Amino acid sequence: MKEFRVGVLASGRGTDFQSIVDAIEKGDLDATIAVLICNNKDAPVIERAKRHEIPWQHIDHRGKSRREFEEELVGVLKEREVDLVVFAGFMRLVTSHFIEHFRDRIINIHPSLLPSFPGTHAQRDALEWGVRVSGCTVHIVDESADGGPIVFQKAVPVQPEDSPENLADRILREEHKVLPHVIRLFAEGRVKVVGRRVFIDEEGREALRPV
Amino acid sequence: MKEFRVGVLASGRGTDFQSIVDAIEKGDLDATIAVLICNNKDAPVIERAKRHEIPWQHIDHRGKSRREFEEELVGVLKEREVDLVVFAGFMRLVTSHFIEHFRDRIINIHPSLLPSFPGTHAQRDALEWGVRVSGCTVHIVDESADGGPIVFQKAVPVQPEDSPENLADRILREEHKVLPHVIRLFAEGRVKVVGRRVFIDEEGREALRPV
């Protein structure tokens, strides 16, 4: 069977990236990280790639047009022949120019139960609203920021005394289970996007249960 | 100990109302339903009140101003000396005139994880969005429709093949556990509203766990 090649885009610490690496190394995920692309040369995620001997590339977004930046991303991802693009804490929005190259094959993980609390302060916003349940969402990346079809969600309880940091940590622990799980669903060819709904094929009924 | 008196407002079938009645009759909830107020004289919820010999009153909202309607509601609730007002499928919005009489002592149960999917078609909206997790929310009623401080939430899984009806049923089963539970927290004096956050006192830590 042809290997399933994942391109990961990240900007920061890279704990979501690490969860993919770990799942592959443990044999829980039959996939290859074809490349890590990072837009921030000082991001710790690059050290993680080096440590695990995963090809990585720094592509700076600064000093170029959005179009040029996206062209560079697309170039590397195509050259590495990726089947799935994973935004794992990637802090840049992309346009339809990028999206068209990988339509329905780009996923993002977001630390809330979308459509509640989109944007870059999801955990703080959830606490300020006072919800009792938040969570994480893996969705298809389309032209709407944080608004694409949802592949998977996991609920996480919130306590009124939570700080944004400890809520973020609790959600992150779930992200690290959810993200490899969803990549596995793609690798097994079980994900089908129909309009706003995402179907996981028959065998995948199991796949929507809590991980 | 003084009895804890609940006034329930409902407009329809009354299955949430029934869940309160059942919890009281089973001895799971130490409270009295002081009155059921229904704005629709043909609603099945009235039959339920009769069957359980619970005082009930039909107050029509039609043919009068919102202010007059609310005055009538307040009159009955005050006369019955209610400690807590419960909107259990009550299909009317209330204004600050009503709210001021029972500030932080009015709760509503809503079939989604607010702030996602406010309004009267929560289950259909959740399905159309394609979420994997929905649920129910009990919140304090304030001047914002469906936007008051959240007391309790329970997550409910969604399947892409769900119809609005079977998602509604699955959520309703949780509502019937959640609503008596939350009323119990109020009856035990354990609920404290601070701005947008709702705290349940020390012993109540347990109370935020899944019911």
Side-chain angles (χ1 to χ4, degrees):
Chain A
M1 209 177 107
K2 189 184 162 296
E3 67 175 357
F4 187 78
R5 297 174 63 81
V6 179
V8 181
L9 276 66
S11 303
R13 282 197 296 164
T15 67
D16 282 331
F17 172 76
Q18 188 71 50
S19 74
I20 307 169
V21 174
D22 292 347
I24 292 170
E25 292 189 352
K26 276 194 290 187
D28 286 345
L29 171 59
D30 189 9
T32 300
I33 301 182
V35 66
L36 165 76
I37 300 176
C38 183
N39 61 319
N40 168 9
K41 77 174 170 31
D42 300 319
V45 68
I46 292 176
E47 290 309 310
R48 295 179 192 267
K50 288 180 186 168
R51 199 177 314 137
H52 293 273
E53 301 182 334
I54 291 165
W56 63 275
Q57 194 142 345
H58 169 233
I59 302 183
D60 206 326
H61 60 276
R62 293 170 305 180
K64 58 189 79 155
S65 70
R66 194 177 285 265
R67 177 72 175 237
E68 287 166 337
F69 176 58
E70 293 188 3
E71 287 288 355
E72 284 190 56
L73 298 178
V74 169
V76 171
L77 293 166
K78 295 275 183 192
E79 180 191 310
R80 295 288 179 167
E81 299 182 306
V82 310
D83 298 298
L84 181 71
V85 180
V86 176
F87 288 6
F90 180 57
M91 303 304 281
R92 306 298 299 171
L93 293 175
V94 290
T95 69
S96 62
H97 174 69
F98 179 88
I99 292 163
E100 280 304 341
H101 285 281
F102 304 97
R103 179 67 65 187
D104 293 344
R105 294 187 294 129
I106 313 166
I107 58 173
N108 180 46
I109 187 155
H110 181 85
S112 77
L113 292 179
L114 291 170
S116 286
F117 314 121
T120 51
H121 301 286
Q123 303 95 333
R124 192 196 64 193
D125 294 347
L127 282 172
E128 286 181 358
W129 189 276
V131 292
R132 296 301 193 187
V133 178
S134 191
C136 59
T137 301
V138 176
H139 63 90
I140 304 287
V141 173
D142 66 11
E143 282 76 3
S144 66
D146 297 330
I150 291 171
V151 184
F152 201 94
Q153 293 185 303
K154 179 74 192 290
V156 171
V158 182
Q159 302 296 352
E161 305 86 349
D162 274 338
S163 66
E165 292 70 29
N166 64 28
L167 177 58
D169 284 346
R170 201 181 305 126
I171 293 173
L172 210 50
R173 284 198 292 278
E174 296 304 324
E175 291 182 30
H176 298 163
K177 291 183 249 178
V178 164
L179 190 54
H181 176 70
V182 171
I183 295 171
R184 190 184 312 118
L185 296 177
F186 277 90
E188 294 172 356
R190 287 153 71 180
V191 179
K192 195 171 146 199
V193 182
V194 183
R196 282 207 58 80
R197 298 206 199 178
V198 179
F199 293 84
I200 311 294
D201 84 1
E202 192 55 26
E203 205 187 352
R205 177 68 26 249
E206 192 66 31
L208 289 176
R209 303 239 170 88
V211 288
Chain B
M1 208 176 106
K2 189 184 163 297
E3 67 175 359
F4 186 78
R5 297 173 64 80
V6 179
V8 181
L9 277 64
S11 302
R13 281 196 298 164
T15 67
D16 282 331
F17 172 75
Q18 188 72 49
S19 75
I20 307 169
V21 174
D22 292 347
I24 292 171
E25 292 189 350
K26 275 193 290 188
D28 286 345
L29 172 58
D30 190 8
T32 300
I33 301 182
V35 65
L36 164 76
I37 299 175
C38 182
N39 61 319
N40 167 9
K41 76 174 172 31
D42 300 319
V45 66
I46 293 176
E47 291 309 309
R48 295 179 192 266
K50 287 180 185 169
R51 198 177 313 137
H52 292 273
E53 300 181 334
I54 290 164
W56 63 276
Q57 194 142 345
H58 169 234
I59 302 182
D60 206 325
H61 61 275
R62 293 171 305 180
K64 58 189 80 157
S65 70
R66 194 175 285 264
R67 178 73 175 237
E68 286 166 337
F69 176 59
E70 292 188 2
E71 286 289 356
E72 284 190 55
L73 297 178
V74 169
V76 170
L77 293 166
K78 294 277 184 191
E79 181 191 310
R80 296 287 179 167
E81 298 181 305
V82 309
D83 298 297
L84 181 71
V85 180
V86 177
F87 288 5
F90 181 57
M91 302 304 282
R92 307 297 299 172
L93 294 175
V94 290
T95 68
S96 61
H97 174 68
F98 180 88
I99 292 162
E100 280 304 341
H101 285 282
F102 304 97
R103 179 67 63 187
D104 292 344
R105 294 186 296 129
I106 314 167
I107 58 174
N108 180 47
I109 187 155
H110 181 85
S112 77
L113 292 179
L114 291 169
S116 286
F117 314 120
T120 53
H121 301 286
Q123 303 95 334
R124 193 197 62 193
D125 294 347
L127 281 172
E128 288 180 356
W129 190 276
V131 292
R132 295 301 192 188
V133 178
S134 189
C136 59
T137 300
V138 176
H139 64 89
I140 303 286
V141 173
D142 65 10
E143 282 75 3
S144 66
D146 298 329
I150 290 170
V151 185
F152 201 95
Q153 293 185 302
K154 181 74 192 291
V156 171
V158 181
Q159 302 295 353
E161 305 85 351
D162 274 337
S163 66
E165 293 69 30
N166 64 29
L167 177 58
D169 284 347
R170 201 181 304 127
I171 293 174
L172 210 49
R173 284 198 291 278
E174 296 304 324
E175 292 183 29
H176 298 162
K177 291 183 249 179
V178 164
L179 190 55
H181 176 70
V182 171
I183 295 172
R184 189 185 312 118
L185 296 177
F186 277 91
E188 294 172 355
R190 286 155 71 181
V191 179
K192 195 170 145 199
V193 183
V194 182
R196 282 207 59 81
R197 298 206 199 176
V198 178
F199 293 85
I200 311 293
D201 84 4
E202 193 54 27
E203 203 187 352
R205 178 65 27 249
E206 192 66 30
L208 288 178
R209 304 240 170 87
V211 290

